[in-house]
Amino acid sequence: MALIMKNNTTKLYLTAPCHFGLEKTLSFEIRRAGGENLEVTDGRINFTGTPDVLVRANISCSTAERIGVIIARFKAVSFDDVFDNIKKIPIGDYLDRNAAFPVTKGQSVNSKLTSIPALQRTVKKALVEAMSSAYKTKTLPETGAVHSVRFFLHKDEMTVFLDSSGEGLHKRGYRRNSGDAPIKETLAAGIIDIAKVRETDCIIDPFCGSGTILVEAALKALKIPPGLNRRYDSEKWGFIPEQLWKEQREILRQNIKKDVDFEAIGYDIDPACVSLTLENARKAGVEKYVKAQVKAVKDFTFPEKPCKIITNPPYAERMLEKSDTERIYREMGERFKGCDHELYIITSDTEFEEIFGHDAKKNRKLYNGMLMCRLYMYN
């Protein structure tokens, strides 16, 4: 593990979890942010980078759930293994004496140690020992900057990391309110990337809900970093140079496109959802490019110009009865019959193609939270 210095030259060992199925998209984003030595596993990418890479990845990666600084990796088949290895971390390189270090979350997959609460207690106890040793004190007030600690135990290999993001990166700041069962911003961004949305595209969502797909498409088209206007726990960390945040925000802000020929159009049967879409577009700063109106899918008509239809229709598991979703899917099939536009539909219904009445050209497995879905792609 690299020794962390208070400058921008030392390489950090970083980690970025993501939705299963979006690893390829996130890999591209991490490389664009300057990440190197990528190690790709299901739902997670580990990589190396200097502190400016950590900053840039937090602000610009649209599909990462968070960015962590790995402080330890080791084999763990007993609680003694966990305690002894964490106690050896040179924690003074990462945390100031007054730093708060809550152990906020952990996972265990296919490992001998399965009790998350017991693991959390062991990790915290070992970190207290490491801090007490580093600063020659038994008094740890934890009144300073928050360095949330997380761990991931997979096949008896434990990874311990500091959460540099704080709130999950899907919280861009524009969606304080949402409709029923909204798609997560990071998943929507991944679908936008799969659809290869560009600055000259017209995007249509016939079930716009709170407008997440439309807003994420606009952010992508205009090259607006999704995390440009939010804050991060690591802005207060001593080993991340403070000026990097201002510098990277300014660099990324300079790359934003102005006055592009992009349009995003949303429809929804619920007037409250239409209002919410327009409100969220305004909060995201893309209201110039997003339009929405009340319209049921049975009344949908295609625009005269080419477009990409990207949508997250209701799922029986999340919102409606199965009979209701089947009716909606049949109505979609009728309206989209003979469609020569690109069409992307994400749903968890394994019988979607049969009910919709058209076989997809291809499909891709994605997860919406813990719900396994498929993105059906037409034309």
Side-chain angles (χ1 to χ4, degrees):
M1 208 64 58
L3 178 67
I4 308 303
M5 306 297 291
K6 294 185 180 182
N7 55 45
N8 191 36
T9 60
T10 302
K11 291 289 181 73
L12 311 177
Y13 193 21
L14 304 169
T15 187
C18 66
H19 284 276
F20 287 104
L22 296 184
E23 295 87 355
K24 184 177 179 180
T25 295
L26 180 55
S27 294
F28 175 78
E29 292 188 311
I30 287 172
R31 288 192 179 95
R32 190 171 57 195
E36 300 175 307
N37 305 312
L38 274 65
E39 174 190 339
V40 182
T41 58
D42 288 344
R44 185 175 299 272
I45 298 175
N46 296 336
F47 59 104
T48 60
T50 49
D52 65 317
V53 172
L54 176 147
V55 172
R56 202 154 51 241
N58 266 301
I59 298 171
S60 65
C61 285
S62 66
T63 54
E65 294 301 309
R66 62 189 66 252
I67 306 295
V69 179
I70 297 175
I71 57 175
R73 288 184 80 179
F74 52 85
K75 191 80 172 177
V77 295
S78 70
F79 287 103
D80 284 342
D81 290 337
V82 175
F83 184 84
D84 292 341
N85 280 283
I86 291 179
K87 192 171 67 170
K88 291 186 292 187
I89 296 172
I91 201 66
D93 291 340
Y94 302 93
L95 274 64
D96 296 332
R97 176 173 178 160
N98 294 332
F101 50 102
V103 182
T104 56
K105 195 167 184 180
Q107 290 177 284
S108 178
V109 179
N110 298 327
S111 299
K112 292 182 176 64
L113 300 176
T114 59
S115 173
I116 300 303
L119 283 164
Q120 287 176 308
R121 289 192 296 270
T122 304
V123 170
K124 181 67 176 185
K125 184 178 178 181
L127 286 171
V128 169
E129 288 280 332
M131 286 286 285
S132 296
S133 176
Y135 290 106
K136 311 300 183 202
T137 180
K138 293 294 183 182
T139 303
L140 299 171
E142 296 198 48
T143 55
V146 175
H147 299 63
S148 295
V149 180
R150 292 176 174 244
F151 61 84
F152 178 63
L153 190 57
H154 181 241
K155 295 181 178 178
D156 297 324
E157 181 177 61
M158 190 161 188
T159 300
V160 183
F161 63 94
L162 303 177
D163 177 9
S164 75
S165 304
E167 283 194 313
L169 293 180
H170 69 282
K171 295 189 176 181
R172 324 291 206 201
Y174 67 80
R175 199 177 76 175
R176 297 298 181 188
N177 300 305
S178 62
D180 293 333
I183 190 170
K184 206 170 182 182
E185 293 90 334
T186 43
L187 178 56
I191 294 171
I192 294 303
D193 186 80
I194 292 168
K196 295 182 170 59
V197 169
R198 300 291 183 262
E199 64 186 72
T200 56
D201 283 337
C202 172
I203 304 300
I204 297 179
D205 183 356
F207 300 93
C208 63
S210 55
T212 306
I213 288 174
L214 302 175
V215 171
E216 291 296 325
L219 294 176
K220 175 83 171 181
L222 275 68
K223 293 191 175 181
I224 298 175
L228 188 63
N229 297 316
R230 53 158 284 173
R231 294 295 171 181
Y232 305 87
D233 280 1
S234 49
E235 290 187 63
K236 298 179 181 179
W237 290 2
F239 69 87
I240 304 295
E242 187 177 356
Q243 74 273 13
L244 285 182
W245 294 95
K246 182 178 180 181
E247 292 171 359
Q248 291 303 318
R249 282 190 173 100
E250 185 56 34
I251 290 170
L252 292 167
R253 190 175 283 112
Q254 292 300 318
N255 292 330
I256 295 174
K257 291 182 174 291
K258 306 286 197 308
D259 297 321
V260 299
D261 187 21
F262 174 82
E263 187 177 15
I265 305 169
Y267 302 109
D268 203 286
I269 198 170
D270 185 352
C273 287
V274 170
S275 295
L276 196 53
T277 291
L278 296 173
E279 179 186 352
N280 288 340
R282 179 185 59 78
K283 289 178 180 176
V286 295
E287 67 272 25
K288 176 180 175 181
Y289 303 92
V290 176
K291 300 175 183 176
Q293 66 182 61
V294 177
K295 182 181 286 189
V297 71
K298 64 183 179 62
D299 299 319
F300 179 82
T301 55
F302 295 105
E304 294 183 1
K305 63 180 179 180
C307 67
K308 293 178 179 178
I309 302 168
I310 307 173
T311 192
N312 173 44
Y315 308 168
E317 290 91 340
R318 306 187 76 191
M319 292 178 66
L320 303 174
E321 296 295 330
K322 186 169 177 60
S323 59
D324 294 323
T325 59
E326 288 180 353
R327 173 183 54 78
I328 290 171
Y329 295 164
R330 283 193 294 270
E331 289 176 350
M332 290 172 63
E334 285 297 317
R335 300 314 300 167
F336 296 151
K337 186 184 296 183
C339 171
D340 57 1
H341 301 278
E342 291 184 43
L343 177 60
Y344 302 83
I345 303 170
I346 184 170
T347 176
S348 64
D349 195 323
T350 56
E351 299 175 344
F352 172 77
E353 287 173 296
E354 181 181 348
I355 302 167
F356 185 62
H358 312 286
D359 291 334
K361 184 177 181 181
K362 56 184 176 179
N363 70 74
R364 184 164 172 174
K365 185 189 293 185
L366 296 171
Y367 279 79
N368 193 354
M370 297 302 294
L371 189 61
M372 198 279 281
C373 300
R374 288 192 181 275
L375 178 66
Y376 294 96
M377 294 170 265
Y378 294 83
N379 299 333

